[in-house]
């Protein structure tokens, strides 16, 4: 009997894109069960690989190249995605992402390039925006992006403040009069992060260390963000909103612009037609680089799992590292275990993803 198997992994950050991961799993599965119908549906959660997932899933989508100012001020060849309905998707990771910073710049990385990419999409006639904000390199509260869209963040002498979190500490006045208007169809923020801007679960405390911040930098970084909010009194309430702390506070900046939170994994799943692909399937395989306690909080495996449960489909998990309970999955495979260690798994992830696909196919024969 021919079985239908759906492959819907997220990217394995820094080692394999979602599309590469899905294709490697497919090769492994077909090597054991060549007669099965394998459906490849790469997923994303609003971070790295979101544009690629939409591009592969939406017929007629067109990638539009754009050169922007990267998070460390070097030029970056990025892109935005023109959608056939007139909308546009802009991915922060391509323009202002953490993988573009070497070394990391916790105080000085910025989102100017992301704003420039948004402006390019607006100039290209976008009637609505989907803004994927995962994978940020900075904690600038979205100021860089808003400045690229026409806002002015000024010091006591009336000069624009420097880019990055460090510059926020000099803000005394914010002028939003020149800020570009949102498109008629609005702007939706694709992110599954629900953290507020401040506090122990805020942008600096939770995500600052990932961006290179040492413990002694967290408090001053939060003070700088607070100075930004005080300078925008009519937007201060957004600091407590779910998702305001996403992407180093870029969530706050976009909410202040008038964008709204839309969820990441769910939006991507809708775009790629995941629920329809699961109809009649025997199994769906999902995964990500590290499966841990945060994975159940709206990340790709939880979204895929919820849709599979609704469709009555078994779910298997593949991850580079598994560091949480997997009893809810029908089967699981760890690349680290298959490769005999984390280093070899990261050195050749596609090889071990293929091995994982073959192992799972054998277990479901």
């Amino acid at each position: 009997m021919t079985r239908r198997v759906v492959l819907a992994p997220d990217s394995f950050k820094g080692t394999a894109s979602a599309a590469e991961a899905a294709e490697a799993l497919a090769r492994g599965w077909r090597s054991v069960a060549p007669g099965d119908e394998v459906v490849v549906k790469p997923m994303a959660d609003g971070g790295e690989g979101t544009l690629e997932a939409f591009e592969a899933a939406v017929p007629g989508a067109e990638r539009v190249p754009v050169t922007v100012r990267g998070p460390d001020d070097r030029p970056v060849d990025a892109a935005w995605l023109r959608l056939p309905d007139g909308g546009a998707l802009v991915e922060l990771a391509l323009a202002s992402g953490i993988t573009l910073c070497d070394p990391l710049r916790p105080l000085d990385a910025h989102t100017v390039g992301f704003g420039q990419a948004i402006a390019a999409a607006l100039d290209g006639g976008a009637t609505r925006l989907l803004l994927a904000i995962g994978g940020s390199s900075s904690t600038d509260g979205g100021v860089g992006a808003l400045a690229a869209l026409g806002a002015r963040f000024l010091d006591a002498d009336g000069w624009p403040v420097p880019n990055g979190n460090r510059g926020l500490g000099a803000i005394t006045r914010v002028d939003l009069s020149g800020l570009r208007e949102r498109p008629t169809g609005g702007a939706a923020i694709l992110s599954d992060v629900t953290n507020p801007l401040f506090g122990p679960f805020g942008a600096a405390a939770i995500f600052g260390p990932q961006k290179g911040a040492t413990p002694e930098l967290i408090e001053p970084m939060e003070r700088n963000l607070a100075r930004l909010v005080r300078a925008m009194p009519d937007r201060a309430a957004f600091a407590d909103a779910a998702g305001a702390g996403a992407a180093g506070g870029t969530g706050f900046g976009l909410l202040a612009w008038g964008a709204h939170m839309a969820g990441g994994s769910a939006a991507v799943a809708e775009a790629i037609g995941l629920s329809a692909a699961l109809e009649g399937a025997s199994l769906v395989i999902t995964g990500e680089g590290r499966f841990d306690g945060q994975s159940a909080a709206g990340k790709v495996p939880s979204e895929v799992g919820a849709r599979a449960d609704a469709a009555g489909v078994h779910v298997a998990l593949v991850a580079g590292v598994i560091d949480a309970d997997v009893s809810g999955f029908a089967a699981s495979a760890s690349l680290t275990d298959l490769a005999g260690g984390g280093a070899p798994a990261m050195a050749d992830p596609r090889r071990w993803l293929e091995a994982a696909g073959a192992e799972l196919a054998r277990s479901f024969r």
Side-chain angles (χ1 to χ4, degrees):
M1 180 183 298
T2 298
R3 298 172 299 181
R4 181 182 179 87
V5 179
V6 179
L7 307 179
D10 196 355
S11 64
F12 283 58
K13 299 293 189 288
T15 59
S17 70
E20 291 170 338
E23 290 296 342
L25 289 167
R27 288 193 300 272
W29 187 280
R30 291 181 179 126
S31 71
V32 174
D36 286 348
E37 177 191 4
V38 178
V39 179
V40 174
K41 290 286 184 181
M43 273 287 291
D45 61 2
E48 174 188 349
T50 299
L51 186 146
E52 183 179 57
F54 269 76
E55 184 180 23
V58 180
E62 176 191 1
R63 183 185 288 247
V64 182
V66 60
T67 300
V68 300
R69 186 176 177 183
D72 59 0
D73 297 324
R74 292 180 295 179
V76 169
D77 292 328
W80 58 277
L81 191 69
R82 179 180 284 119
L83 301 172
D85 66 357
L89 184 141
V90 186
E91 181 183 310
L92 183 150
L94 290 175
S96 305
I98 193 168
T99 59
L100 302 173
C101 265
D102 186 15
L104 299 176
R105 306 171 78 215
L107 291 175
D108 300 307
H110 55 76
T111 54
V112 171
F114 181 46
Q116 291 174 330
I118 295 171
L122 292 173
D123 291 342
T127 57
R128 69 182 178 98
L129 292 171
L130 299 175
L131 305 173
I133 65 172
S136 168
S137 61
S138 68
T139 311
D140 75 344
V143 161
L146 294 184
L149 290 168
R152 300 172 70 218
F153 299 88
L154 308 173
D155 64 17
D157 296 320
W159 292 99
V161 301
N163 291 316
N165 180 276
R166 192 194 307 270
L168 304 184
I171 291 176
T172 60
R173 186 166 68 89
V174 177
D175 178 5
L176 301 181
S177 62
L179 188 60
R180 295 187 65 160
E181 292 187 2
R182 300 181 310 282
T184 54
I189 304 167
L190 305 188
S191 173
D192 289 324
V193 171
T194 58
N195 302 65
L197 186 61
F198 300 127
F201 300 103
I206 296 298
F207 304 114
Q210 300 171 4
K211 307 174 198 300
T214 55
E216 59 270 17
L217 287 179
I218 301 303
E219 185 176 345
M221 288 171 68
E222 178 144 316
R223 284 201 304 268
N224 291 343
L225 287 168
R227 183 158 184 142
L228 165 65
V229 173
R230 287 197 301 273
M232 302 172 68
D234 58 336
R235 306 298 205 279
F238 290 121
D240 295 325
T250 301
F252 168 78
L254 294 176
L255 289 168
W257 184 39
H260 65 277
M261 301 300 298
S265 301
V268 175
E270 287 297 317
I272 69 175
L274 180 60
S275 293
L278 291 172
E279 294 178 8
S282 300
L283 177 72
V284 59
I285 302 175
T286 188
E288 59 185 350
R290 174 178 289 273
F291 183 80
D292 56 23
Q294 296 184 33
S295 298
K299 289 194 174 184
V300 164
S302 66
E303 180 66 28
V304 174
R307 289 174 183 260
D309 285 345
V313 176
H314 294 297
V315 187
L317 173 75
V318 176
V321 176
I322 295 176
D323 193 23
D325 179 31
V326 293
S327 59
F329 294 94
S332 63
S334 160
L335 305 192
T336 297
D337 291 346
L338 289 170
M346 293 184 68
D348 195 357
R350 279 173 278 189
R351 172 189 174 187
W352 299 109
L353 281 160
E354 188 171 334
E359 179 177 278
L360 290 174
R362 282 190 291 269
S363 69
F364 278 90
R365 291 187 74 166

